[in-house]
Amino acid sequence: MAQKPSIPKGTRDFSPIEMARRNYIFDTIRNVFALSGFKQIETPAMETLSTLMGKYGEEGDKLLFKILDSGNYLSGIDCELLTAGEPCGKLTSQLCEKGLRYDLTVPFARYVVQHRADLQLPFKRFQIQPVWRADRPQKGRYREFYQCDADVVGSDSLLCEIELLSIIDEVFKRLGIRTVIKLNNRKILAGIAELIGAPDKIVDITVAIDKLDKIGIDNVNTELLERGLSEQSVKALQPILAIDGTTKERLLKLREVLASSETGIKGIEELETVINGAESFGVETQVELDVSLARGLNYYTGTIIEVKALDVQIGSITGGGRYDNLTGVFGMPGVSGVGISFGADRIYDVLNALNLYPETATAVTTVMFANFGHEEAMYSLSVIKKLRDAGISAEIYPDAVKMKKQMAYADTQKVPFVAIAGTEEMEAGTITLKNMIDGTQQNLSIAELINTLAIS
Amino acid sequence: MAQKPSIPKGTRDFSPIEMARRNYIFDTIRNVFALSGFKQIETPAMETLSTLMGKYGEEGDKLLFKILDSGNYLSGIDCELLTAGEPCGKLTSQLCEKGLRYDLTVPFARYVVQHRADLQLPFKRFQIQPVWRADRPQKGRYREFYQCDADVVGSDSLLCEIELLSIIDEVFKRLGIRTVIKLNNRKILAGIAELIGAPDKIVDITVAIDKLDKIGIDNVNTELLERGLSEQSVKALQPILAIDGTTKERLLKLREVLASSETGIKGIEELETVINGAESFGVETQVELDVSLARGLNYYTGTIIEVKALDVQIGSITGGGRYDNLTGVFGMPGVSGVGISFGADRIYDVLNALNLYPETATAVTTVMFANFGHEEAMYSLSVIKKLRDAGISAEIYPDAVKMKKQMAYADTQKVPFVAIAGTEEMEAGTITLKNMIDGTQQNLSIAELINTLAIS
């Protein structure tokens, strides 16, 4: 019975050329991670739901893909739950004990706690694996996508932040993507909120600062009042909203304004250390303060990092920050960490938009041998063996069909060379090599063939 | 609230050293695949259940991990199904429309059919991804494990089989594992069954042949009778059971015995072509006929391949065969294919048992800089930058804690060199390099440092 096959919405197949490009991205990131002393780990796709639930907020719990228990999963289930109008929450936890990981951070925290006896802190780990979210699929948002994370846990040294900035710098330099690294510090935001007497309004303040350029100071102030800030708070915020200039200038002015807030000053000092350290480390990417940066505000406790591409309109392509209690929820308090996550899918989109792939990021065989029949094929195999031993990818067309068809195949596969071995070549111990780009042909000894293809 | 975290049974975390070793295996296989003109694809972890169900037999259907639909998954469900005693089958298909892939073959067949318009046949694809099975976990059997598959579809040329044998040969040569490749052909088995007048007893015959060495001819014959073969059939089988000698000798004798079976002779000819072709191709691994080889008999239609390690007692570490109708179930008949699957987890076990990993398969940073405080750290960063630019992995201990602790850390991380940059070194623009293996120290200029570490 024929089915019209398809894949679940929000998921993707990757074709050979897409894989070559994705591998180029992953390999680049992996190499920079390793060069920087980070060690790779992998965790299972499935985690127990008790590991995942409650870590991503109520909305996150709903977006977890849950795995139905095997066997007779309804046995022992409360019948009332089955026939009640609102089945989801409680019933699900009885039907399912496993779920697909939602990110790499919670599995990493679980890993650290579970393997604490074998781990030497500080632990610098990286992890490149897919994650799954039952999000509404839309352009650029998938239900299965890769994350590429690097984290240092077990040290609160700002050298870790500096290290991560240098990784960002190096990865995007290698990929050829021009970026700006935006930095903020949770403590600066806390200092501002403290200063204006609205410690619970951090988010509203960052939203307002973010809109300043677009809607102007008057509209921002109106909005802040609407969001429940007192007139006094809004007034107190004005000197901060007025700050402009370069990052160094703004840090100087912020230091004056926040002078009375110990937390605020601490945040500024941390940021200065990170920015100056990155300079010492030779980071060439522009690093700038962005006080409106508030990503991950519910768990970041210090540095906040976001990377934007300069030449393509797209959301942030990398982000991260410092968290002070990653593993606390699993019973191991006091472990500080800082991490970044490269958004492989968006980076892929940026590279596509700018056509920045190197020539090596293709899935092309160097030479295809035409097939003239059994004897010729056996001769070709012996030559192919020598080519492969020399590191040259080579294959033979499997069927002795018409030459036109074989050449058409070589064309669609973008094979740059076709090798022809007929009776004459077999007798002479040679190969005729056709260059598929300029159409020229050469008769070559096997040694010459290897040399020619090794250089090309 | 502290939880004691763990992972679902049958799944694994991979530590840095395990990852280094696994990557060594995957990279080796990937490189040989690519060298041989195979192109990588990836498919989503989740497939629709309609793609997966009914492809692996009844037992396979039960072993599929099914994903609970999102949202209010009970709405519209037949209440009787919920409260009936036997809930599984029908209800599951209403609760779940997706499942985790069980192997790479069915998703590949689905891929070929779905993308048929964009694909040029023959299509040589490889795929290295995890699969999931709700099997009972036991030693060496996991619920999440990797498969490494290479298949050629769209050609019935035996050159494809020869190509796959050369890939097997090359992969295990590179890994340093001594193996034997066992071959059979479905058509030989069909010929035998036809000859003895028991065409539906292929499996019983192979089981009997397999036991010949262990239990002797008399017991085998008794068992065949018990399995429902007629006395006449058992008698007719005796000349076949009596065949021995080398592979070439056995093929000659089989050819005589099976002379009257067109199918049987076809199978012998195919096998001879494959074995001789492998020889022309320079395959050095021992290739032998094993008429008891019956893996995948429900879908293989020609060549059957199995690889055993010679120096470790373990099941087959690679297997494969030819199938004539991979995509028929998805409405695209007549596409012949042949493929192999490397069992990465068993190969991992073999490499561990024989301790065959190269020195490069570790997760070690070349040099760790000790941390003496902020200024020294900034100096170290500038040196680390130069080392990394030269391709040398380097890092700095993030905290300026006691030297003893830093050295102990370097020890546990098996870092071969520790770099020391104190006031003296900063003034002189040098580094003191300590060799952690022999304990020697050298004061080096930065250029000397790079040279020393690049060679090591």
Side-chain angles (χ1 to χ4, degrees):
Chain A
M1 199 188 65
Q3 307 164 296
K4 189 177 176 297
S6 62
I7 49 178
K9 61 180 177 181
T11 70
R12 291 165 290 173
D13 286 324
F14 294 110
S15 69
I17 179 66
E18 288 167 333
M19 280 307 299
R21 292 174 167 187
R22 290 172 65 84
N23 283 338
Y24 164 68
I25 296 171
F26 292 134
D27 289 346
T28 301
I29 295 172
R30 184 184 296 117
N31 288 338
V32 175
F33 283 163
L35 206 54
S36 312
F38 285 73
K39 318 293 185 211
Q40 188 171 15
I41 68 162
E42 280 189 4
T43 61
M46 298 186 285
E47 295 275 351
T48 63
L49 275 180
S50 60
T51 295
L52 300 175
M53 296 286 281
K55 309 302 189 297
Y56 308 105
E58 216 173 298
E59 192 53 31
D61 283 352
K62 283 189 197 151
L63 297 185
L64 291 170
F65 280 110
K66 291 147 194 118
I67 316 266
L68 193 66
D69 290 345
S70 302
N72 190 352
Y73 50 81
L74 281 186
S75 81
I77 297 244
D78 186 345
C79 273
E80 272 181 45
L81 284 177
L82 291 177
T83 46
E86 272 297 330
C88 298
K90 277 187 188 167
L91 179 59
T92 301
S93 65
Q94 293 192 29
L95 293 177
C96 304
E97 60 180 22
K98 295 178 288 296
L100 295 179
R101 68 173 161 252
Y102 180 89
D103 68 3
L104 302 179
T105 306
V106 168
F108 174 51
R110 191 267 309 146
Y111 180 98
V112 169
V113 177
Q114 189 174 330
H115 302 281
R116 60 205 291 179
D118 306 319
L119 280 185
Q120 200 70 22
L121 296 184
F123 181 41
K124 297 165 75 175
R125 91 83 170 79
F126 77 90
Q127 192 169 353
I128 299 178
Q129 290 192 277
V131 303
W132 294 269
R133 297 182 185 178
D135 239 327
R136 185 187 300 273
Q138 50 179 260
K139 188 177 169 353
R141 190 196 284 169
Y142 304 101
R143 294 185 144 193
E144 173 180 66
F145 58 97
Y146 269 77
Q147 291 192 332
C148 311
D149 284 18
D151 291 77
V152 191
V153 293
S155 167
D156 54 12
S157 165
L158 294 170
L159 277 177
C160 304
E161 271 91 335
I162 295 167
E163 174 72 279
L164 293 174
L165 293 192
S166 97
I167 287 175
I168 291 169
D169 181 59
E170 185 67 25
V171 163
F172 289 115
K173 195 187 295 165
R174 289 187 182 202
L175 293 176
I177 299 176
R178 297 198 317 129
T179 59
V180 56
I181 301 174
K182 300 188 168 208
L183 292 184
N184 199 1
N185 191 301
R186 164 71 175 246
K187 297 187 178 95
I188 294 180
L189 298 177
I192 294 172
E194 184 190 318
L195 184 81
I196 68 170
D200 58 334
K201 296 289 186 193
I202 291 187
V203 172
D204 302 281
I205 296 165
T206 60
V207 170
I209 296 174
D210 190 37
K211 289 185 174 173
L212 201 53
D213 281 348
K214 288 166 228 150
I215 64 174
I217 183 76
D218 291 343
N219 289 321
V220 162
N221 288 339
T222 310
E223 192 173 319
L224 284 169
L225 292 170
E226 281 167 13
R227 283 169 178 265
L229 264 80
S230 68
E231 292 210 14
Q232 206 175 355
S233 291
V234 173
K235 198 177 161 207
L237 190 63
Q238 298 310 301
I240 290 160
L241 294 180
I243 289 174
D244 60 6
T246 66
T247 290
K248 292 202 171 170
E249 286 165 1
R250 281 183 291 146
L251 280 169
L252 276 178
K253 290 179 190 165
L254 260 180
R255 189 184 273 274
E256 282 172 32
V257 177
L258 290 178
S260 66
S261 161
E262 203 181 315
T263 308
I265 292 298
K266 184 91 168 59
I268 289 167
E269 282 171 356
E270 288 185 7
L271 250 182
E272 283 173 344
T273 302
V274 170
I275 291 172
N276 293 334
E279 212 175 305
S280 299
F281 208 173
V283 168
E284 292 167 15
T285 306
Q286 187 191 340
V287 178
E288 65 179 38
L289 168 67
D290 181 351
V291 191
S292 74
L293 196 61
R295 60 177 292 137
L297 214 52
N298 47 339
Y299 45 94
Y300 289 143
T301 51
T303 308
I304 303 172
I305 306 168
E306 194 168 273
V307 182
K308 303 275 279 186
L310 288 175
D311 302 314
V312 177
Q313 283 287 346
I314 198 166
S316 73
I317 54 179
T318 293
R322 179 171 287 277
Y323 38 82
D324 270 349
N325 197 11
L326 178 68
T327 54
V329 68
F330 295 118
M332 186 178 172
V335 178
S336 183
V338 57
I340 51 170
S341 183
F342 286 91
D345 289 288
R346 282 196 182 158
I347 293 172
Y348 180 79
D349 289 344
V350 171
L351 289 175
N352 279 337
L354 301 175
N355 197 18
L356 285 177
Y357 291 103
E359 289 215 2
T360 50
T362 56
V364 162
T365 310
T366 303
V367 58
M368 185 192 96
F369 281 64
N371 189 329
F372 294 96
H374 184 72
E375 265 190 63
E376 292 87 345
M378 291 301 117
Y379 174 73
S380 296
L381 287 188
S382 68
V383 180
I384 288 172
K385 166 79 174 157
K386 290 185 183 118
L387 290 172
R388 289 187 190 167
D389 285 348
I392 298 158
S393 63
E395 61 185 323
I396 182 166
Y397 192 88
D399 303 281
V401 294
K402 283 197 183 127
M403 206 38 43
K404 202 179 158 188
K405 187 171 177 189
Q406 297 191 41
M407 295 308 259
Y409 180 82
D411 248 355
T412 60
Q413 300 293 306
K414 299 196 170 60
V415 177
F417 294 98
V418 168
I420 293 157
T423 321
E424 273 178 46
E425 285 86 357
M426 285 172 68
E427 276 169 14
T430 62
I431 288 291
T432 297
L433 186 69
K434 176 168 181 165
N435 183 317
M436 295 294 282
I437 293 148
D438 62 21
T440 56
Q441 288 194 186
Q442 287 177 280
N443 189 268
L444 300 172
S445 72
I446 309 306
E448 288 168 342
L449 176 74
I450 292 173
N451 282 336
T452 304
L453 295 177
I455 299 162
S456 76
Chain B
M1 199 187 63
Q3 307 164 294
K4 188 175 179 298
S6 63
I7 49 178
K9 62 181 175 179
T11 69
R12 292 165 290 174
D13 286 325
F14 294 110
S15 70
I17 179 66
E18 288 167 331
M19 281 306 298
R21 291 175 166 188
R22 291 172 65 84
N23 283 338
Y24 164 67
I25 296 171
F26 292 134
D27 289 345
T28 301
I29 296 172
R30 185 184 297 116
N31 287 339
V32 175
F33 283 163
L35 207 53
S36 311
F38 285 73
K39 317 294 185 211
Q40 189 171 16
I41 69 162
E42 280 188 6
T43 61
M46 299 185 286
E47 295 275 351
T48 62
L49 275 180
S50 61
T51 294
L52 300 176
M53 295 287 279
K55 308 303 189 298
Y56 308 104
E58 217 172 295
E59 192 52 32
D61 283 353
K62 283 189 197 150
L63 298 184
L64 291 170
F65 280 111
K66 292 150 194 112
I67 315 266
L68 193 66
D69 290 346
S70 302
N72 189 353
Y73 50 81
L74 281 188
S75 81
I77 297 246
D78 185 347
C79 272
E80 274 181 42
L81 283 177
L82 291 175
T83 46
E86 273 298 331
C88 298
K90 277 187 188 167
L91 179 60
T92 301
S93 65
Q94 293 192 27
L95 293 177
C96 304
E97 61 180 23
K98 294 179 290 294
L100 295 179
R101 68 173 160 253
Y102 179 90
D103 68 4
L104 302 179
T105 306
V106 168
F108 174 51
R110 190 267 309 146
Y111 180 97
V112 169
V113 178
Q114 189 174 332
H115 302 282
R116 60 204 291 179
D118 307 319
L119 280 186
Q120 199 70 23
L121 297 184
F123 182 40
K124 298 166 73 175
R125 90 85 170 77
F126 77 90
Q127 193 169 353
I128 300 178
Q129 290 192 276
V131 302
W132 295 268
R133 296 181 186 179
D135 240 327
R136 185 188 299 273
Q138 50 180 259
K139 187 175 171 345
R141 190 196 285 169
Y142 304 102
R143 293 185 145 193
E144 174 180 65
F145 58 97
Y146 269 76
Q147 291 193 332
C148 311
D149 283 19
D151 291 77
V152 191
V153 293
S155 167
D156 54 12
S157 164
L158 294 170
L159 278 177
C160 305
E161 272 90 338
I162 296 167
E163 173 73 279
L164 293 174
L165 294 193
S166 97
I167 286 175
I168 290 169
D169 181 60
E170 184 67 25
V171 163
F172 290 115
K173 194 187 297 165
R174 290 187 181 201
L175 293 176
I177 298 177
R178 297 196 318 129
T179 59
V180 56
I181 301 174
K182 299 187 169 207
L183 291 185
N184 199 1
N185 191 301
R186 164 71 175 245
K187 296 186 180 98
I188 294 179
L189 298 177
I192 294 173
E194 183 190 320
L195 183 79
I196 67 169
D200 58 333
K201 295 291 184 189
I202 290 187
V203 172
D204 303 281
I205 296 165
T206 61
V207 170
I209 296 173
D210 191 36
K211 288 185 174 174
L212 202 52
D213 282 348
K214 287 166 229 148
I215 63 174
I217 182 78
D218 292 343
N219 289 321
V220 162
N221 288 338
T222 311
E223 191 173 318
L224 284 170
L225 292 170
E226 281 168 12
R227 283 170 179 265
L229 264 80
S230 69
E231 292 211 13
Q232 206 177 355
S233 290
V234 172
K235 199 179 159 207
L237 190 63
Q238 297 310 302
I240 290 161
L241 294 180
I243 289 174
D244 60 4
T246 66
T247 290
K248 292 204 172 169
E249 287 165 3
R250 281 183 290 146
L251 280 169
L252 276 178
K253 291 177 192 167
L254 260 181
R255 188 184 273 275
E256 282 171 34
V257 177
L258 290 178
S260 67
S261 161
E262 202 182 315
T263 308
I265 293 297
K266 183 93 168 61
I268 290 167
E269 282 171 356
E270 288 186 7
L271 251 181
E272 283 173 344
T273 304
V274 170
I275 290 173
N276 294 333
E279 213 176 302
S280 300
F281 208 174
V283 168
E284 292 168 14
T285 306
Q286 187 190 338
V287 178
E288 65 179 40
L289 167 67
D290 181 350
V291 191
S292 74
L293 196 63
R295 61 178 294 139
L297 214 52
N298 48 338
Y299 46 94
Y300 289 144
T301 52
T303 307
I304 303 171
I305 305 168
E306 193 168 274
V307 182
K308 302 275 277 186
L310 288 176
D311 302 315
V312 177
Q313 283 287 345
I314 198 167
S316 74
I317 54 180
T318 293
R322 177 170 289 277
Y323 38 81
D324 270 350
N325 197 10
L326 178 69
T327 54
V329 68
F330 297 118
M332 186 178 171
V335 178
S336 183
V338 57
I340 51 171
S341 183
F342 286 92
D345 289 288
R346 283 198 181 153
I347 293 172
Y348 180 79
D349 290 344
V350 170
L351 288 175
N352 279 336
L354 302 175
N355 196 20
L356 285 176
Y357 291 103
E359 289 213 3
T360 49
T362 56
V364 162
T365 310
T366 302
V367 57
M368 185 193 97
F369 281 66
N371 189 330
F372 294 96
H374 184 72
E375 264 190 63
E376 291 87 345
M378 291 301 117
Y379 174 73
S380 296
L381 287 187
S382 68
V383 180
I384 288 172
K385 166 79 175 155
K386 291 187 182 114
L387 289 172
R388 290 187 189 168
D389 285 348
I392 298 158
S393 63
E395 60 184 324
I396 183 167
Y397 192 88
D399 303 282
V401 294
K402 281 194 184 131
M403 207 36 46
K404 201 177 159 187
K405 187 171 176 189
Q406 296 190 43
M407 295 308 258
Y409 179 83
D411 248 354
T412 61
Q413 300 292 306
K414 300 195 169 58
V415 177
F417 295 98
V418 168
I420 293 157
T423 321
E424 273 179 45
E425 283 86 357
M426 285 172 67
E427 275 169 16
T430 61
I431 289 289
T432 297
L433 186 69
K434 178 170 178 163
N435 183 318
M436 294 295 282
I437 293 148
D438 62 21
T440 57
Q441 286 195 186
Q442 287 177 281
N443 190 269
L444 301 171
S445 71
I446 308 305
E448 288 167 341
L449 177 73
I450 293 173
N451 281 335
T452 304
L453 296 177
I455 299 161
S456 75

